[in-house]
Amino acid sequence: MEVGRLPISAALKGKLVSAGYTSLSLLSSLSPSHLARDLNISENEALDILKHAPHDGRIDTSGGHHIISGAQTAWDMLHEEELLTRITTSSVDIDNILGGGISCREVTEIGGVPGIGKTQLGIQLAVNVQLPVHCGGLGGKAIYIDTEGSFMVERVLQIAEACWDDMLANNAISQNVHAGQVGMQPKDFLENILYFRVCSYTEQIALINYLDKFISEHRDVKIVVVDSITFHFRQDFEDMALRTRLLSGMALKLMKLAKKFCLAVVLLNQVTTKYAEGSFQLTLALGDSWSHACTNRIILYWNGNERYAYIDKSPSLRSASAPYAVTARGIRNNVSNCKRIKLM
Amino acid sequence: MSEIGRRFTARRVNRKEGQRRAQESHSCCSALLVASFGKVTIVQGMASLKRLETEFPILDPDFQSFCALRGIFTVQDFLIRDLQSLVADAEQQPSSERFMQAINQVLYVIDGLHQPWLNGVDLMEDAQKNKHVLSTGCEGMDFLLRGGLRRGQVTELAGPSSSGKTQFCLLTASTVAYKHMGGVIYIDTGNSFSAKRIARFLNQISCPASEEMQPRVLQEVMNSILCHSVYDIFSMFDVLHCLESKLKYQMCRGDNDERLIIIDSISSLITPILGSSGSQGRALMVSAMSLLKKLAHEYNLAVLVTNHTVGGDGGIPKPALGESWKTLPHVRLLLSRDCGSNTYQVSLLKHPSIASGKAAKFIIND
């Protein structure tokens, strides 16, 4: 393996090459102190480099299928996918087009014009994830990362109360009361939402880097909602190339979080106009390179006076749209008397 | 390595002072034991002449000190030095014949290190016997590519978001696993590998009359598709290196059945490192592609990578990753989808043997 492929800084790579170590097998028998002396670096740095040297036990040639550690066959993944539960959105129509709700291990991006209900949907999901599994949730906590300041605690309490009422009604009908769950008060919903407020893009990146450690300490977190992911990257960024790099790095980290801890990541995004094919069209913010950062994408739009949700991108779901409504109780199915407010 | 070894390494760095230091360590040279160079293998080309002495006694200490005076300690140094002047020097020495024999011996060792030369006939045989075409399961694409993905070549599929790249990758993986009974390695960077979709594709391919495939057969086929999730380019290098060792081992045993590597998408791994100060990002990109091409050629695999697009002149999307990327894949395709439908359009941007600019349409059913 070439030294050029090691995840170390360019300066260290240069030192390795000029000292004569061009291939990793030459490093495999060295002690850190010897390497440190050779290259004129600290012993810690030498230890870092030698971590990547091939050990004899790493390459297993026993000939089985799972030699490459971390691989899974499609058959195993099929069974895992069937067992995966989803988070309901409280609107049966949207749940139907999503195949049951927002799925774990995937990054879902939800975008739409202002006022369509993105934050409402984010809050609804943060509340719904705490429901027990038989009610459509995952019985876990939620992390809510707020970049715009649109998180209203009173609204969360309102939605939580409505959710609790529904849960009680369902329990009464099905007579399926689990011990300890009837005792959940609306205020308990608030306790399980972990809220972070970020005020700049550096804070956002730092927080996402920190989430790995945070979630390994709080293993019952099942959803991360970022509202909105693009706000701090849209203004005041002169260096577009840097922005692309930061965003794609952030996207990969979120993907890794979702897969590693088996949770759902929901990113809310704004829209902007784009000039394409001779006309101006609405498209999600941050451009083409960001549009590849999610596994699924849902676009919320107005159709006449009604709100619709449309699946724009998904590896396994069909493209479909479903109407929904934002009510005092949260996101619900569309009832025809929900009107759009016309601005004069 | 001992104190002597440390001076030895320092000597490699400071070649200009070679002569002076060579005098110093001349006496140390003869005291060096073979064991201290035990780990250095001939294959790396860094073998010292001392190490070669055990196999080729003609490289005796006299020859080694003759070379040491000129700053030559390893096979690699031999390659770098001017051979003419070395030969001229050797002829002026008292034991010139032995030295000439020793030089020839080293050249013989060097000759054995590179890949054997192949002529056109060998390449043609290799192409006909090993480098077959894998059908992708998609008629329009197979027609455009004259059969499908060719083993030994790296194919790039670029397209805007939600234009069907992942669907095409899943369909190709299912087809290769089922029709060609081959192993598929799927490297996924965006959690978009969907086993349910693969099962649906397999049902469509095998039983068009919408019956269910037998679970035992389905299990066998799906067990040959291996999925990896990687989230940075160094993990991808690790996966490819493990794969290389596994393939080498299988090749020795003769039961190599891997056919296809899919990386979806390689652009999300390269974009975070490309373009920053210094050319490290580009170096890693080129290094990754050269590794993939090597795997494709030596182990007769087809490689499919996906790329996203960025806005180009006039708003027409063009593939991402820049100008240097354009030369790397063998075959380049641009995919687009008619809005809201299942019809896809693909056009050929680059191909070694088909004129570019051709286009085709195909449909992928749900």
Side-chain angles (χ1 to χ4, degrees):
Chain A
M1 184 172 165
E2 310 242 356
V3 156
R5 293 180 191 151
L6 286 179
I8 53 180
S9 73
L12 281 178
K13 283 186 201 175
K15 284 189 185 169
L16 275 173
V17 171
S18 61
Y21 299 103
T22 48
S23 130
L24 268 194
S25 51
L26 295 171
L27 288 176
S28 59
S29 59
L30 283 185
S31 70
S33 49
H34 181 93
L35 186 63
R37 264 201 323 263
D38 254 350
L39 299 183
N40 242 348
I41 53 179
S42 73
E43 205 162 310
N44 280 338
E45 287 176 330
L47 260 171
D48 267 340
I49 296 176
L50 285 175
K51 241 181 3 200
H52 301 285
H55 307 296
D56 287 324
R58 209 160 160 224
I59 300 173
D60 180 9
T61 50
S62 60
H65 256 301
H66 298 272
I67 286 179
I68 310 171
S69 58
Q72 274 186 307
T73 63
W75 181 250
D76 294 334
M77 291 182 78
L78 184 65
H79 288 297
E80 271 182 23
E81 276 180 32
E82 281 166 9
L83 294 172
L84 221 50
T85 41
R86 291 164 179 255
I87 307 173
T88 176
T89 57
S90 294
S91 156
V92 180
D93 293 333
I94 300 186
D95 283 349
N96 282 342
I97 61 167
L98 285 177
I102 304 282
S103 52
C104 290
R105 285 213 187 117
E106 289 182 1
V107 174
T108 308
E109 186 182 2
I110 302 180
V113 292
I116 193 94
K118 302 186 296 292
T119 305
Q120 303 302 311
L121 188 51
I123 295 176
Q124 183 73 61
L125 288 169
V127 166
N128 283 355
V129 76
Q130 302 169 42
L131 295 173
V133 177
H134 66 91
C135 292
L138 296 178
K141 295 192 178 163
I143 288 183
Y144 197 98
I145 301 177
D146 188 6
T147 60
E148 295 172 337
S150 43
F151 185 80
M152 302 262 86
V153 183
E154 299 83 359
R155 179 66 172 141
V156 180
L157 191 56
Q158 202 181 23
I159 292 183
E161 280 169 354
C163 201
W164 186 67
D165 286 337
D166 286 345
M167 197 171 75
L168 274 187
N170 280 342
N171 279 345
I173 293 172
S174 65
Q175 302 203 332
N176 195 10
V177 175
H178 292 257
Q181 272 158 5
V182 185
M184 208 170 167
Q185 300 291 323
K187 287 226 165 67
D188 294 339
F189 282 100
L190 293 183
E191 212 183 292
N192 288 333
I193 300 183
L194 304 164
Y195 175 80
F196 292 90
R197 174 82 168 96
V198 291
C199 302
S200 71
Y201 77 88
T202 38
E203 277 184 40
Q204 189 173 338
I205 296 177
L207 177 59
I208 291 183
N209 285 343
Y210 173 64
L211 272 182
D212 190 279
K213 183 153 166 285
F214 185 79
I215 298 182
S216 15
E217 288 160 15
H218 296 82
R219 281 282 174 162
D220 44 0
V221 170
K222 289 291 177 201
I223 189 171
V224 176
V225 180
V226 186
D227 176 15
S228 60
I229 189 92
T230 57
F231 181 68
H232 290 299
F233 288 91
R234 294 186 69 189
Q235 47 258 36
D236 284 348
F237 234 103
E238 291 106 23
D239 188 357
M240 283 300 163
L242 175 66
R243 192 180 89 165
T244 313
R245 285 200 301 277
L246 289 176
L247 285 172
S248 34
M250 196 169 69
L252 283 175
K253 287 194 194 101
L254 288 168
M255 290 280 181
K256 189 171 177 183
L257 265 182
K259 182 91 186 201
K260 181 172 165 189
F261 297 108
C262 196
L263 41 87
V265 177
V266 175
L267 310 176
L268 304 177
N269 198 0
Q270 300 160 343
V271 293
T272 178
T273 49
K274 166 174 99 157
Y275 185 73
E277 293 159 22
S279 67
F280 286 100
Q281 291 175 357
L282 278 183
T283 170
L284 292 190
L286 290 187
D288 294 321
S289 41
W290 174 253
S291 55
H292 298 268
C294 58
T295 312
N296 303 314
R297 188 179 310 123
I298 302 173
I299 300 209
L300 308 177
Y301 64 99
W302 286 106
N303 188 0
N305 280 339
E306 291 169 352
R307 294 179 162 91
Y308 274 79
Y310 171 68
I311 297 194
D312 186 48
K313 174 182 172 184
S314 166
S316 58
L317 299 166
R318 291 192 176 87
S319 280
S321 53
Y324 70 98
V326 179
T327 65
R329 303 165 62 80
I331 304 275
R332 294 288 185 272
N333 273 345
N334 191 19
V335 186
S336 57
N337 55 8
C338 281
K339 287 279 192 258
R340 174 185 189 171
I341 299 175
K342 284 203 164 37
L343 290 173
M344 294 301 165
Chain B
M1 276 195 189
S2 59
E3 164 78 2
I4 296 167
R6 195 163 64 81
R7 275 198 254 164
F8 193 89
T9 329
R11 206 166 34 229
R12 267 188 293 193
V13 175
N14 303 315
R15 281 212 188 89
K16 286 182 196 147
E17 305 176 277
Q19 230 173 13
R20 180 176 67 79
R21 291 216 183 169
Q23 299 281 13
E24 272 176 11
S25 331
H26 175 108
S27 47
C28 306
C29 231
S30 44
L32 278 167
L33 299 170
V34 175
S36 49
F37 294 93
K39 291 286 180 191
V40 178
T41 61
I42 290 183
V43 178
Q44 310 301 331
M46 290 292 283
S48 73
L49 297 175
K50 191 87 188 125
R51 170 91 159 76
L52 289 175
E53 187 189 357
T54 51
E55 292 182 39
F56 309 105
I58 193 140
L59 305 177
D60 55 5
D62 282 338
F63 180 69
Q64 286 172 33
S65 48
F66 165 73
C67 291
L69 280 173
R70 283 149 190 84
I72 300 178
F73 303 97
T74 63
V75 172
Q76 195 184 43
D77 292 337
F78 214 93
L79 282 169
I80 297 172
R81 288 289 157 189
D82 182 4
L83 210 50
Q84 307 275 29
S85 62
L86 190 66
V87 167
D89 277 344
E91 281 174 0
Q92 290 166 6
Q93 297 290 324
S95 47
S96 62
E97 240 186 60
R98 279 187 63 83
F99 281 2
M100 293 304 295
Q101 279 182 336
I103 291 177
N104 281 332
Q105 181 62 271
V106 179
L107 288 176
Y108 171 74
V109 168
I110 292 175
D111 263 342
L113 286 179
H114 65 72
Q115 299 272 9
W117 288 106
L118 296 173
N119 61 20
V121 176
D122 295 331
L123 285 173
M124 185 67 150
E125 260 181 44
D126 178 54
Q128 279 172 343
K129 206 171 67 160
N130 296 330
K131 306 282 195 285
H132 303 140
V133 163
L134 297 174
S135 158
T136 60
C138 193
E139 280 176 9
M141 189 70 97
D142 283 347
F143 176 70
L144 183 69
L145 295 174
R146 292 203 195 146
L149 301 174
R150 181 171 285 275
R151 294 163 75 172
Q153 283 183 352
V154 175
T155 307
E156 171 204 350
L157 183 64
S161 175
S162 114
S163 55
K165 305 186 290 292
T166 305
Q167 295 303 303
F168 180 75
C169 290
L170 293 172
L171 177 59
T172 307
S174 320
T175 311
V176 169
Y178 182 73
K179 280 199 182 142
H180 302 277
M181 299 309 291
V184 176
I185 312 276
Y186 196 105
I187 298 181
D188 184 18
T189 67
N191 293 342
S192 4
F193 181 80
S194 165
K196 267 194 283 213
R197 193 73 171 112
I198 297 252
R200 284 215 300 265
F201 277 134
L202 284 173
N203 278 325
Q204 273 175 19
I205 298 171
S206 64
C207 327
S210 73
E211 300 158 3
E212 285 289 317
M213 221 164 129
Q214 286 191 4
R216 202 174 39 85
V217 179
L218 188 68
Q219 178 174 1
E220 208 181 299
V221 174
M222 285 182 82
N223 268 337
S224 56
I225 304 178
L226 282 177
C227 176
H228 270 279
S229 295
V230 298
Y231 302 104
D232 61 87
I233 197 161
F234 301 108
S235 323
M236 187 187 79
F237 275 124
D238 283 343
V239 169
L240 290 177
H241 281 290
C242 289
L243 178 63
E244 191 179 0
S245 342
K246 174 183 166 190
L247 287 171
K248 218 182 278 191
Y249 177 73
Q250 280 182 342
M251 200 109 179
C252 298
R253 287 199 334 193
D255 65 346
N256 192 8
D257 64 349
E258 304 294 339
R259 302 269 185 274
L260 179 63
I261 299 179
I262 299 181
I263 303 186
D264 179 19
S265 62
I266 204 169
S267 53
S268 56
L269 296 178
I270 295 177
T271 322
I273 50 172
L274 199 61
S276 54
S277 62
S279 55
Q280 198 179 2
R282 203 167 340 130
L284 281 170
M285 175 173 85
V286 174
S287 181
M289 279 305 272
S290 69
L291 179 58
L292 284 171
K293 284 192 205 175
K294 176 181 163 213
L295 286 175
H297 180 75
E298 281 182 14
Y299 303 104
N300 303 321
L301 303 170
V303 179
L304 176 64
V305 299
T306 60
N307 188 10
H308 64 271
T309 54
V310 291
D313 302 323
I316 305 172
K318 65 174 186 181
L321 297 180
E323 290 293 317
S324 12
W325 169 262
K326 286 186 185 170
T327 58
L328 298 175
H330 293 115
V331 179
R332 301 185 70 214
L333 301 162
L334 186 62
L335 189 62
S336 64
R337 178 162 79 138
D338 298 340
C339 204
S341 75
N342 280 342
T343 319
Y344 301 89
Q345 286 204 327
V346 61
S347 63
L348 195 59
L349 295 177
K350 173 185 171 191
H351 194 281
S353 54
I354 305 176
S356 63
K358 295 201 168 155
K361 275 193 195 200
F362 58 91
I363 297 181
I364 296 185
N365 291 318
D366 280 335

